[in-house]
Amino acid sequence: MVAKLVAKDPHARCRVGSGPLAPLAEDLNHLSVQLSSSNPPEDEAFSIRALIEQSPNIMFTCDLEARVRYLNFTVPGQGLSEVLGTSLYQWIHPDYVEVARGVIHKVLTTGEPGGYEARPLIDVGAEWFAARVAPIKSQQQIIGFAVILTDITELKRAQLRLEQSNRELESFAYVASHDLQEPLRKIQTFGERLKTTAAAALSPEGRDYIERMQNAAGRMRRLIDDLLSFSRVSSNAQPFAQVDLSVIAREVLGDLETRIEQSGAQVSLGELPTLEADAMQMRQLIQNLVGNALKFRREGVTPLISLHGTVDAQTQRCELVVQDNGIGFEQKYADRIFNVFQRLHGRGQYEGTGIGLAICRKIVERHNGSIGARSTPGEGTSFNVMMPLKQPTRR
């Protein structure tokens, strides 16, 4: 009874019998009624306690042994005194206990806030919570931690639906593109045979039709290959590892050596950081961006292309910049160019399928980064890629 009163449990009551402790039980019940009905002073009514008790978030504090010391939430079927002193981990779904334990251990060890996502063990009206964990200090010494739980059920449901939809779309794109390869191969093969064996018997108009058919088949093959590359960004992804972008960039420039020489381009390579990434996809990213700069060059102007990077030590993020002096584009199209099949120029002007930059964005987003472009017509374009140096732990 005393423990319940200390915990300010308004439902605490003693059973009053006829023994020698009956008067004490009556006094304790009277005290309980007073505590539950007393009005707090005005300054306390507007204090931080009011914010905590009225918050839609579940908040609680724990000591170093993860025992619950304070809670602003009524656990269904449990009195406050029955929750206080219990282990936090007994209220978390078993599938997420180790995740929570690892985050809490890190918070208590480093003193830095952390977070995790978990499902509750009991029905509290929410299926998923995002937990924010922060240390509690007394005279610079960590004596426990506080946890704030935010209901993210709807967000999590939408995320799971989106992930399922993306998997289905990627599977469809891969199967559809793969199944188109064989009939396309036959079109090209028989078209080539017709051109070789019957070209003399055909009229100039007939030979022109065959040439157009072969060109269209070639464009179709490039489109299918790019669609396959787009669908494989996630399905064929490799685990993250330490990647030196300088090494990757030099290899890419070596692969593009012929195109660079033919265009007369001058490419400068500055310092690039090392980060946690998929090496194959970083190679594809840089190759697409440099290839884009080589493609959209101005006639009669020596292409100038630069690659360099910077690191923000405070945020632990890096920026990769690929800049050129090419034809550029209107800034209002900066978002549109990263969409699939989006082209700002006619197919006859510049080769390509309009998927290359969409692949770049998908790669960057897989690495928890962002990509943007700044451009001026006739002056050039700068592509800016922001990515973390270390990828967050995947659960």
Side-chain angles (χ1 to χ4, degrees):
M1 178 64 181
V2 173
K4 291 182 178 182
L5 291 176
V6 172
K8 296 186 179 180
D9 187 341
H11 306 293
R13 293 292 184 275
C14 276
R15 182 173 60 83
V16 180
S18 56
L21 294 180
L24 175 61
E26 290 179 352
D27 288 341
L28 288 174
N29 284 341
H30 179 67
L31 178 59
S32 176
V33 171
Q34 287 184 318
L35 289 175
S36 61
S37 61
S38 62
N39 294 320
E42 185 172 326
D43 57 344
E44 183 179 339
F46 291 97
S47 69
I48 191 170
R49 184 183 184 89
L51 293 176
I52 294 173
E53 292 178 347
Q54 297 300 320
S55 172
N57 295 332
I58 297 176
M59 304 180 187
F60 51 89
T61 57
C62 297
D63 56 27
L64 294 175
E65 282 70 42
R67 293 188 297 254
V68 178
R69 299 292 295 272
Y70 175 79
L71 181 69
N72 75 332
F73 177 74
T74 301
V75 178
Q78 303 283 335
L80 182 60
S81 61
E82 296 174 287
V83 178
L84 296 179
T86 61
S87 171
L88 163 66
Y89 302 118
Q90 76 179 61
W91 306 102
I92 302 175
H93 193 283
D95 292 346
Y96 304 93
V97 167
E98 290 308 312
V99 173
R101 195 188 302 275
V103 172
I104 291 170
H105 175 74
K106 185 175 181 180
V107 170
L108 295 178
T109 303
T110 65
E112 297 295 328
Y116 61 90
E117 294 178 2
R119 304 185 71 170
L121 185 60
I122 59 175
D123 183 9
V124 291
E127 297 177 15
W128 283 92
F129 284 107
R132 178 68 174 173
V133 185
I136 298 175
K137 297 182 180 181
S138 175
Q139 298 180 352
Q140 302 304 313
Q141 182 178 358
I142 297 176
I143 60 173
F145 59 93
V147 181
I148 300 177
L149 300 180
T150 303
D151 182 358
I152 58 168
T153 302
E154 291 304 319
L155 179 62
K156 200 68 178 179
R157 288 175 179 172
Q159 177 187 337
L160 295 175
R161 288 195 298 268
L162 182 60
E163 289 175 353
Q164 176 64 24
S165 176
N166 284 341
R167 284 193 296 268
E168 292 173 355
L169 287 173
E170 289 169 359
S171 177
F172 171 78
Y174 178 80
V175 172
S177 300
H178 190 271
D179 289 349
L180 286 172
Q181 293 278 22
E182 187 56 34
L184 180 60
R185 192 161 24 245
K186 289 185 177 180
I187 292 173
Q188 289 183 302
T189 300
F190 287 111
E192 195 62 38
R193 288 182 184 177
L194 182 62
K195 183 178 178 180
T196 302
T197 60
L202 294 173
S203 65
E205 187 178 28
R207 289 192 292 272
D208 181 57
Y209 288 158
I210 292 178
E211 190 67 30
R212 292 188 183 187
M213 180 185 72
Q214 292 294 81
N215 290 338
R219 289 195 301 272
M220 186 66 174
R221 177 171 289 282
R222 290 193 295 272
L223 180 60
I224 290 173
D225 289 340
D226 284 349
L227 276 174
L228 284 171
S229 296
F230 184 78
S231 68
R232 288 168 175 164
V233 169
S234 297
S235 60
N236 282 7
Q238 298 299 311
F240 293 137
Q242 288 298 310
V243 176
D244 187 340
L245 290 184
S246 296
V247 174
I248 297 292
R250 285 193 291 270
E251 292 175 352
V252 168
L253 295 181
D255 293 340
L256 296 174
E257 185 177 5
T258 302
R259 289 182 60 185
I260 293 174
E261 290 179 353
Q262 290 175 345
S263 64
Q266 297 179 10
V267 183
S268 61
L269 178 60
E271 291 188 7
L272 295 177
T274 296
L275 74 164
E276 198 173 67
D278 182 332
M280 188 71 71
Q281 291 186 348
M282 288 299 98
R283 183 187 187 93
Q284 190 174 15
L285 171 67
I286 294 176
Q287 183 162 322
N288 282 2
L289 292 177
V290 175
N292 197 75
L294 291 171
K295 182 196 304 182
F296 295 104
R297 59 186 184 273
R298 285 182 286 164
E299 291 294 330
V301 177
T302 300
L304 301 177
I305 304 170
S306 68
L307 290 82
H308 63 273
T310 57
V311 173
D312 188 325
Q314 184 174 0
T315 63
Q316 286 296 290
R317 297 178 69 84
C318 67
E319 181 180 26
L320 170 66
V321 180
V322 179
Q323 193 168 7
D324 64 60
N325 65 338
I327 61 173
F329 57 84
E330 295 285 352
Q331 188 62 31
K332 63 181 179 181
Y333 299 121
D335 291 331
R336 173 180 164 185
I337 61 174
F338 295 104
N339 294 332
V340 178
F341 302 133
Q342 292 297 317
R343 303 172 60 99
L344 301 184
H345 308 280
R347 189 175 61 239
Q349 290 180 276
Y350 298 96
E351 62 179 8
T353 59
I355 300 180
L357 290 178
I359 292 174
C360 289
R361 183 171 69 174
K362 195 170 185 181
I363 289 173
V364 172
E365 288 177 349
R366 187 202 165 215
H367 288 76
N368 297 289
S370 61
I371 183 171
R374 295 191 299 271
S375 186
T376 303
E379 295 184 13
T381 302
S382 174
F383 285 95
N384 300 72
V385 178
M386 296 291 295
M387 290 183 292
L389 294 177
K390 182 176 178 58
Q391 294 296 324
T393 302
R394 295 183 177 270
R395 293 182 290 273

